[in-house]
Amino acid sequence: MSFGNETTRRARTQPFLRSLTRHARVPLRAFEEASDQANGELVRLNMGPFRPYLVTHPDHVQHVLKTNQPNYIRAGMFWDPLSPLLGTGILSDGAGWSASRSILQPVFTARYVDSLTERMAEIVTDLIDTVVVPGRPIDVADTISALVHPTIVRLFLGATISDADIERLAPAYDTGVTARSIRLLLPFVPQRFPLPGDSAFRQAIRTIDEVVYPRIRYAKARGRHANDLVSLLCQARAGETDAERLIRDDMVAIHGAATETSVTALTWVWPALDAHPEIAAKVYEEIERVVGPGPVTMAHLPRLAYLRMFVDELVRLYPPGWILPRTVVEADTIGGVRIPAGSTVVLSPFLTQRLPEFWDRPLEFDPERFAAGNGRGRHRYAYFPFAAGPHSCLGPRLFQMEALLLIAGILSRYRPVLHADGPVLPRLASTLRPGTGLSMTLVPTRSG
Ligand code: HEM
C-alpha cells in the first residue's frame, strides 16, 4: 500500500451495481466484496449515476476524519434529506455545527455523564421490571428500544416528561430517520420534488416539535435547577437570537444520535451471546460475581471489565454507524488517488474494523482483543466505531454506562434463549441492525 508523494492516478472503478444485484439478499456482502478487492486502496464504486469513493485504509481514514477534516463535510446525498429533521446544529457542518460543538463538548464530560449514571441505573432497573416479559418470546429490537428510548428521553428532556409524550416520540423518530430512505437510492432527485415518505417525514417532525418545544419552554421557565441536557442548553444559549430553535435542533439531533445507535448496538448483544457460548459463560460468571441478583448500580460498573471488552468487540464487528459519508470541498489526493471537488467519499468502520492487515482473525468474535495491553501497536484509525477527529461522537461514555447497566441488569435476572434459524446477518440500513424479526425468550435465573 502506498501513501504519499508518488504521482497521482485515478481511482480504480469497481462494478458495484453488478455486485449489489448479485448480493440482493444481503447487500452488505457487496460492500465486503468491494473492500476485499480494494485491499486497502482507495477505489470508486460504480453505482450508475452515483460513484462514491470507498475509503478503508486507516491512514486514509485518518486523513479524512482528522488531518484534512475541514475538506470533508457532512453534506450531500446522505445528509441533505435529513436536514429538516436534524437542523443546523451539532449534526450539520460549518458555523452552526462549530457553535453547537463548543457548547456541547464541555457538557459531555466524564463527570457530567457519571452524574447521570445513578439516575440512569434507577430508570433502567424500573424499565426492565415493566418491559421484560419473562418466559415468552419477545422481539429483541422492540424490547431494547423500549428500554433505551425512555431512558435517553428522561435523561435529556427532563424527569417530568409524561409517558404519553415519550410514547409519541419513539415512533416519530423512527419515521423521521427511515421515511426518506428512498432518497438515498435516488440521490439525483432534487429535495423539492415530492417522493413517497415525504409527508410522513413532515408529520414526524411536527410530532417531535410538539413534544420538544414545550420541554424547552418548561426548562427555561424553571431556571437553573436541573442537570438534564435541555436545562443545560437553555442556560448555555440564554439571550441568543433564535435560541429555542437552536436548542431544538441540538436536542433532536443528539436524541437521534444517541438512541438509534445504542438500540442497534444493544440488539447485537443477544445473537453474539447465542453464537459464542464460551464467551457468554464468562459474561454470566462476571455478572453473577459482581452484581449477584441485582439491582445493578453505578458502583458495580468499574468491576464489569469483561463485559466492557465484550461491548468493545461488539461495536468492532457490528458498528451501528457502519457508514460515514462526506462531501469533498476542494480536490485532494489520498493514497496517490486524485479526488475531485464535489465527490462523495464513504468511510466505513464496518469494513476497516475487519481488515486482515490490521486485525488478526478479523471475523472472529474475541473480546480479549480489548484486554489491557492487547491493543498495543494497533493503528489508531483501525478502530473508529465512534468516529474520530473534530466530529467524533460525544456519547461513548454515556453509551458504555448505558450498555453495562442494561446488559448486566437483564443478565443478573435472566438467561436469553434466542429464536433464530441460522446465523443472524446484518441488515443494511442507516444503522447496522440484525435482520428483522429476531426474537428471544428471557428465562428467569431464580425462582420467585
Ligand atoms: C453505540 C452507540 C453510539 C455509536 C456507535 C455512535 C457513533 C457515532 C458516530 C460514528 C458519529 C460520527 C458521525 C459522523 O460524523 O458521520 C457520532 C457522532 C455523534 N454522536 Fe454518537 N454514537 C453512539 C452513541 C451516542 C450517544 C449515547 C450520544 C449522546 C450524547 C451520541 C452523540 C453524538 C453526537 C452529538 C455526535 C455528533 C458529533 C459532532 O459531529 O460534533 N452518540 N456518533
Side-chain angles (χ1 to χ4, degrees), residues 64-124:
V64 172
L65 289 183
K66 176 108 174 126
T67 321
N68 199 14
Q69 180 273 330
N71 197 45
Y72 294 89
I73 58 169
R74 288 198 299 214
M77 63 164 284
F78 290 94
W79 294 98
D80 295 348
L82 288 179
S83 66
L85 173 70
L86 303 176
T88 58
I90 190 69
L91 276 186
S92 65
D93 226 322
W97 164 76
S98 168
S100 289
R101 181 92 192 183
S102 63
I103 290 175
L104 286 164
Q105 187 154 328
V107 168
F108 278 94
T109 57
R111 200 145 148 237
Y112 174 63
V113 174
D114 289 352
S115 79
L116 300 177
T117 306
E118 209 51 76
R119 171 94 190 102
M120 183 153 56
E122 286 163 20
I123 300 174
V124 169

Coordinates of all heavy atoms in Angstrom, one line a residue, residues 64-124:
V64 N -9.1 11.8 6.3 CA -10.4 12.4 6.1 C -11.0 12.9 7.4 O -11.6 14.0 7.5 CB -11.4 11.3 5.4 CG1 -12.8 11.8 5.4 CG2 -10.9 11.0 4.0
L65 N -10.9 12.1 8.5 CA -11.5 12.5 9.7 C -10.7 13.5 10.5 O -11.2 14.2 11.4 CB -11.8 11.3 10.6 CG -12.9 10.3 10.1 CD1 -13.1 9.2 11.1 CD2 -14.2 11.0 9.9
K66 N -9.4 13.5 10.3 CA -8.6 14.4 11.2 C -7.6 15.3 10.4 O -7.8 16.5 10.5 CB -7.7 13.4 12.1 CG -6.8 14.1 13.0 CD -7.2 14.0 14.4 CE -6.2 14.5 15.3 NZ -6.6 15.6 16.2
T67 N -6.7 14.7 9.6 CA -5.6 15.6 9.1 C -6.2 16.7 8.2 O -5.8 17.8 8.3 CB -4.6 14.7 8.3 OG1 -4.4 13.5 9.0 CG2 -3.3 15.4 8.1
N68 N -7.1 16.3 7.3 CA -7.6 17.3 6.4 C -9.1 17.4 6.5 O -9.9 17.6 5.6 CB -7.3 17.0 4.9 CG -7.4 18.2 4.0 OD1 -7.5 19.3 4.5 ND2 -7.4 17.9 2.7
Q69 N -9.6 17.3 7.8 CA -11.0 17.2 8.1 C -11.9 18.3 7.5 O -13.0 18.0 7.0 CB -11.2 17.1 9.6 CG -12.7 16.9 10.1 CD -13.3 18.3 10.3 OE1 -12.6 19.3 10.6 NE2 -14.6 18.4 10.1
P70 N -11.5 19.6 7.6 CA -12.4 20.6 7.1 C -12.7 20.5 5.6 O -13.7 21.0 5.1 CB -11.6 21.9 7.3 CG -10.6 21.6 8.3 CD -10.2 20.1 8.1
N71 N -11.9 19.7 4.9 CA -12.2 19.5 3.4 C -13.2 18.4 3.2 O -13.7 18.2 2.1 CB -10.9 19.1 2.7 CG -11.0 19.3 1.2 OD1 -11.5 20.3 0.8 ND2 -10.5 18.3 0.5
Y72 N -13.7 17.7 4.3 CA -14.6 16.6 4.1 C -15.9 16.9 4.9 O -15.8 16.6 6.1 CB -13.9 15.3 4.5 CG -12.8 15.0 3.5 CD1 -11.5 15.4 3.8 CD2 -13.1 14.3 2.3 CE1 -10.5 15.2 2.9 CE2 -12.0 14.0 1.4 CZ -10.8 14.5 1.7 OH -9.8 14.2 0.8
I73 N -16.9 17.4 4.3 CA -18.0 17.9 5.1 C -19.2 17.0 5.1 O -19.4 16.2 4.2 CB -18.4 19.3 4.7 CG1 -18.8 19.4 3.2 CG2 -17.3 20.4 5.0 CD1 -19.5 20.7 2.8
R74 N -20.0 17.1 6.2 CA -21.2 16.3 6.2 C -22.3 17.1 5.4 O -23.1 17.9 6.0 CB -21.7 16.2 7.7 CG -20.7 15.2 8.4 CD -21.3 14.7 9.6 NE -21.6 15.8 10.5 CZ -21.5 15.6 11.9 NH1 -21.2 14.5 12.4 NH2 -21.8 16.6 12.6
A75 N -22.4 16.8 4.2 CA -23.4 17.4 3.3 C -23.6 16.4 2.2 O -22.8 15.4 2.1 CB -22.9 18.7 2.8
G76 N -24.6 16.7 1.3 CA -24.8 15.8 0.2 C -25.8 14.8 0.4 O -26.6 14.8 1.3
M77 N -25.8 13.7 -0.5 CA -26.9 12.8 -0.6 C -27.4 12.2 0.6 O -28.6 11.9 0.8 CB -26.7 11.8 -1.7 CG -25.5 10.9 -1.3 SD -25.5 9.4 -2.3 CE -26.8 8.4 -1.6
F78 N -26.5 11.8 1.5 CA -26.9 11.1 2.7 C -27.4 12.1 3.8 O -28.2 11.7 4.6 CB -25.7 10.3 3.3 CG -25.3 9.2 2.5 CD1 -24.3 9.3 1.6 CD2 -25.9 7.9 2.6 CE1 -23.9 8.2 0.8 CE2 -25.5 6.9 1.9 CZ -24.5 7.0 0.9
W79 N -26.9 13.3 3.8 CA -27.2 14.2 4.9 C -28.4 15.1 4.5 O -29.2 15.4 5.4 CB -26.0 15.0 5.2 CG -24.9 14.2 5.8 CD1 -23.8 13.7 5.2 CD2 -24.8 13.7 7.2 NE1 -23.0 13.0 6.0 CE2 -23.6 13.0 7.3 CE3 -25.6 13.9 8.3 CZ2 -23.2 12.4 8.5 CZ3 -25.2 13.3 9.5 CH2 -24.0 12.5 9.6
D80 N -28.5 15.6 3.3 CA -29.5 16.6 2.9 C -30.9 16.2 3.2 O -31.7 16.9 3.7 CB -29.3 17.0 1.5 CG -28.0 17.7 1.2 OD1 -27.3 18.1 2.2 OD2 -27.6 17.9 0.1
P81 N -31.3 14.9 2.9 CA -32.7 14.5 3.1 C -33.1 14.6 4.6 O -34.2 14.8 5.0 CB -32.8 13.0 2.7 CG -31.6 12.8 1.8 CD -30.6 13.8 2.2
L82 N -32.1 14.5 5.5 CA -32.4 14.5 6.9 C -32.3 15.9 7.6 O -32.7 16.1 8.7 CB -31.5 13.5 7.7 CG -31.7 12.1 7.5 CD1 -30.7 11.2 8.2 CD2 -33.2 11.7 7.9
S83 N -31.8 16.9 6.8 CA -31.5 18.2 7.4 C -32.8 18.9 8.0 O -32.7 19.5 9.0 CB -30.7 19.1 6.5 OG -31.5 19.4 5.4
P84 N -34.0 18.7 7.4 CA -35.1 19.3 8.0 C -35.4 18.7 9.4 O -36.0 19.4 10.3 CB -36.3 19.0 7.1 CG -35.7 18.7 5.8 CD -34.3 18.1 6.1
L85 N -35.0 17.5 9.6 CA -35.2 16.9 11.0 C -34.1 17.3 11.9 O -34.3 17.7 13.1 CB -35.2 15.4 10.8 CG -35.2 14.5 12.1 CD1 -36.6 14.7 12.8 CD2 -34.9 13.1 11.8
L86 N -32.8 17.2 11.4 CA -31.7 17.4 12.3 C -31.3 18.9 12.5 O -30.5 19.2 13.4 CB -30.5 16.6 11.8 CG -30.8 15.1 11.7 CD1 -29.6 14.4 11.0 CD2 -31.1 14.5 13.0
G87 N -31.7 19.8 11.6 CA -31.5 21.2 11.7 C -30.0 21.6 11.4 O -29.3 20.9 10.7
T88 N -29.6 22.7 12.0 CA -28.4 23.3 11.6 C -27.4 23.3 12.8 O -26.5 24.2 12.8 CB -28.6 24.8 11.1 OG1 -29.2 25.5 12.3 CG2 -29.5 24.9 9.9
G89 N -27.5 22.4 13.7 CA -26.6 22.4 14.8 C -25.5 21.3 14.8 O -24.8 21.1 13.8
I90 N -25.5 20.4 15.8 CA -24.4 19.5 16.1 C -24.3 18.4 15.0 O -23.2 17.9 14.7 CB -24.5 18.9 17.5 CG1 -23.3 18.1 17.8 CG2 -25.8 18.0 17.6 CD1 -22.1 18.9 18.1
L91 N -25.4 18.1 14.3 CA -25.3 17.1 13.2 C -25.3 17.7 11.9 O -25.6 17.1 10.9 CB -26.4 16.0 13.3 CG -26.1 14.9 14.3 CD1 -27.2 13.8 14.2 CD2 -24.7 14.2 14.1
S92 N -24.9 19.0 11.8 CA -24.7 19.6 10.5 C -23.2 19.8 10.3 O -22.4 19.1 10.9 CB -25.5 20.9 10.4 OG -24.9 21.9 11.3
D93 N -22.8 20.9 9.6 CA -21.4 21.2 9.5 C -21.2 22.7 9.4 O -22.2 23.4 9.2 CB -20.8 20.5 8.3 CG -19.5 19.8 8.6 OD1 -18.7 20.5 9.4 OD2 -19.2 18.7 8.2
G94 N -20.0 23.2 9.4 CA -19.8 24.7 9.3 C -20.1 25.4 10.6 O -19.9 24.8 11.7
A95 N -20.5 26.7 10.4 CA -20.6 27.5 11.6 C -21.6 27.1 12.7 O -21.3 27.1 13.9 CB -20.9 29.0 11.2
G96 N -22.7 26.5 12.2 CA -23.8 26.1 13.1 C -23.3 24.9 13.9 O -23.4 24.8 15.2
W97 N -22.6 23.9 13.3 CA -22.0 22.8 14.0 C -21.0 23.3 15.0 O -21.0 22.9 16.2 CB -21.3 21.8 13.0 CG -20.4 20.9 13.7 CD1 -20.8 19.8 14.5 CD2 -19.0 21.0 13.8 NE1 -19.7 19.2 15.0 CE2 -18.6 19.9 14.7 CE3 -18.1 21.9 13.3 CZ2 -17.3 19.7 15.0 CZ3 -16.7 21.7 13.7 CH2 -16.3 20.6 14.5
S98 N -20.1 24.2 14.5 CA -19.0 24.6 15.4 C -19.5 25.3 16.7 O -19.0 25.0 17.8 CB -18.1 25.6 14.6 OG -17.3 26.2 15.3
A99 N -20.6 26.1 16.5 CA -21.2 26.8 17.7 C -21.8 25.7 18.7 O -21.6 25.8 19.9 CB -22.3 27.8 17.3
S100 N -22.5 24.7 18.1 CA -23.1 23.7 18.9 C -22.0 22.8 19.6 O -22.1 22.5 20.8 CB -24.0 22.8 18.1 OG -25.1 23.5 17.7
R101 N -21.0 22.5 18.9 CA -19.9 21.7 19.4 C -19.3 22.4 20.6 O -19.0 21.8 21.6 CB -18.9 21.3 18.3 CG -17.8 20.4 18.8 CD -18.1 19.0 18.5 NE -17.1 18.1 19.2 CZ -17.1 16.8 19.1 NH1 -18.0 16.2 18.4 NH2 -16.2 16.1 19.8
S102 N -19.1 23.7 20.5 CA -18.4 24.4 21.5 C -19.3 24.5 22.8 O -18.8 24.6 23.9 CB -17.9 25.8 21.1 OG -19.0 26.6 20.8
I103 N -20.6 24.4 22.6 CA -21.4 24.3 23.8 C -21.5 22.9 24.4 O -21.4 22.7 25.6 CB -22.9 24.8 23.4 CG1 -22.8 26.3 23.1 CG2 -23.9 24.5 24.5 CD1 -24.2 26.8 22.7
L104 N -21.6 21.9 23.5 CA -21.9 20.5 23.9 C -20.7 19.8 24.4 O -20.8 19.0 25.3 CB -22.5 19.7 22.8 CG -24.0 20.1 22.5 CD1 -24.5 19.6 21.2 CD2 -24.9 19.6 23.6
Q105 N -19.5 20.0 23.8 CA -18.3 19.3 24.2 C -18.0 19.4 25.7 O -17.8 18.5 26.4 CB -17.1 19.6 23.3 CG -16.0 18.7 23.6 CD -15.0 18.6 22.4 OE1 -15.5 18.7 21.3 NE2 -13.8 18.4 22.7
P106 N -18.0 20.7 26.2 CA -17.8 20.8 27.6 C -18.9 20.3 28.5 O -18.7 20.0 29.7 CB -17.7 22.4 27.8 CG -17.8 23.0 26.5 CD -18.2 22.0 25.5
V107 N -20.1 20.0 27.9 CA -21.2 19.4 28.7 C -20.9 17.9 29.0 O -21.0 17.4 30.1 CB -22.5 19.7 28.1 CG1 -23.6 18.8 28.7 CG2 -22.9 21.1 28.1
F108 N -20.5 17.3 27.9 CA -20.4 15.8 27.9 C -19.1 15.3 28.5 O -18.4 14.5 27.9 CB -20.7 15.2 26.6 CG -22.1 15.0 26.3 CD1 -22.8 16.0 25.6 CD2 -22.8 13.9 26.8 CE1 -24.2 15.9 25.4 CE2 -24.2 13.8 26.6 CZ -24.9 14.8 25.9
T109 N -18.7 15.9 29.7 CA -17.5 15.4 30.3 C -17.8 14.1 31.1 O -19.0 13.8 31.3 CB -17.1 16.4 31.4 OG1 -18.2 16.6 32.3 CG2 -16.8 17.8 30.8
A110 N -16.7 13.4 31.4 CA -16.9 12.2 32.2 C -17.7 12.5 33.5 O -18.5 11.7 33.9 CB -15.5 11.6 32.5
R111 N -17.4 13.6 34.1 CA -18.0 14.0 35.3 C -19.5 14.1 35.2 O -20.3 13.6 36.0 CB -17.4 15.3 35.8 CG -17.6 15.5 37.3 CD -16.4 16.2 37.9 NE -16.9 17.0 38.9 CZ -16.7 18.3 39.0 NH1 -16.0 18.9 38.1 NH2 -17.2 19.0 40.0
Y112 N -19.9 14.8 34.1 CA -21.4 15.0 33.8 C -22.0 13.7 33.6 O -23.1 13.4 34.2 CB -21.6 15.9 32.6 CG -23.0 16.1 32.3 CD1 -24.0 16.6 33.2 CD2 -23.5 15.6 31.0 CE1 -25.3 16.7 32.8 CE2 -24.8 15.7 30.7 CZ -25.7 16.3 31.6 OH -27.1 16.3 31.3
V113 N -21.4 12.8 32.7 CA -22.0 11.5 32.4 C -22.1 10.7 33.7 O -23.2 10.1 34.0 CB -21.2 10.8 31.3 CG1 -21.8 9.4 31.1 CG2 -21.3 11.6 30.0
D114 N -21.1 10.7 34.5 CA -21.1 9.9 35.8 C -22.2 10.5 36.7 O -22.9 9.7 37.4 CB -19.8 10.0 36.5 CG -18.7 9.2 35.7 OD1 -19.1 8.5 34.8 OD2 -17.5 9.3 36.1
S115 N -22.5 11.8 36.6 CA -23.5 12.4 37.5 C -24.9 11.9 37.0 O -25.9 11.9 37.8 CB -23.5 13.9 37.5 OG -24.1 14.4 36.3
L116 N -25.0 11.4 35.8 CA -26.3 10.9 35.3 C -26.5 9.4 35.6 O -27.6 8.9 35.5 CB -26.4 11.1 33.8 CG -26.3 12.5 33.2 CD1 -26.4 12.4 31.7 CD2 -27.5 13.3 33.7
T117 N -25.4 8.7 35.9 CA -25.4 7.3 35.9 C -26.3 6.7 37.0 O -27.0 5.7 36.7 CB -24.0 6.7 36.0 OG1 -23.2 7.3 34.9 CG2 -23.9 5.2 35.8
E118 N -26.3 7.2 38.2 CA -27.1 6.7 39.2 C -28.6 6.7 38.8 O -29.3 5.8 39.0 CB -26.8 7.4 40.6 CG -27.0 6.6 41.8 CD -26.3 5.2 41.8 OE1 -25.1 5.2 42.0 OE2 -27.0 4.2 41.6
R119 N -28.9 7.9 38.3 CA -30.3 8.1 37.8 C -30.6 7.1 36.7 O -31.7 6.5 36.6 CB -30.5 9.5 37.4 CG -31.8 9.9 36.7 CD -32.8 10.4 37.7 NE -34.1 10.5 37.0 CZ -35.1 9.7 37.1 NH1 -35.0 8.6 37.9 NH2 -36.2 9.8 36.5
M120 N -29.6 7.0 35.8 CA -29.8 6.0 34.7 C -30.0 4.6 35.2 O -30.9 3.9 34.7 CB -28.6 6.1 33.7 CG -28.7 5.3 32.5 SD -27.8 5.9 31.1 CE -26.1 6.0 31.7
A121 N -29.3 4.2 36.2 CA -29.4 2.9 36.8 C -30.8 2.7 37.3 O -31.4 1.6 37.1 CB -28.4 2.7 37.9
E122 N -31.4 3.7 38.0 CA -32.8 3.5 38.5 C -33.8 3.4 37.4 O -34.6 2.5 37.4 CB -33.1 4.8 39.3 CG -32.5 4.9 40.7 CD -32.6 6.3 41.2 OE1 -33.4 7.1 40.8 OE2 -31.7 6.6 42.1
I123 N -33.6 4.3 36.3 CA -34.5 4.2 35.2 C -34.5 2.8 34.6 O -35.5 2.2 34.3 CB -34.2 5.3 34.2 CG1 -34.3 6.7 34.8 CG2 -35.2 5.2 33.0 CD1 -33.9 7.8 33.9
V124 N -33.3 2.4 34.3 CA -33.1 1.1 33.6 C -33.7 -0.1 34.4 O -34.4 -0.9 33.9 CB -31.6 0.8 33.3 CG1 -31.4 -0.6 32.8 CG2 -31.1 1.8 32.2

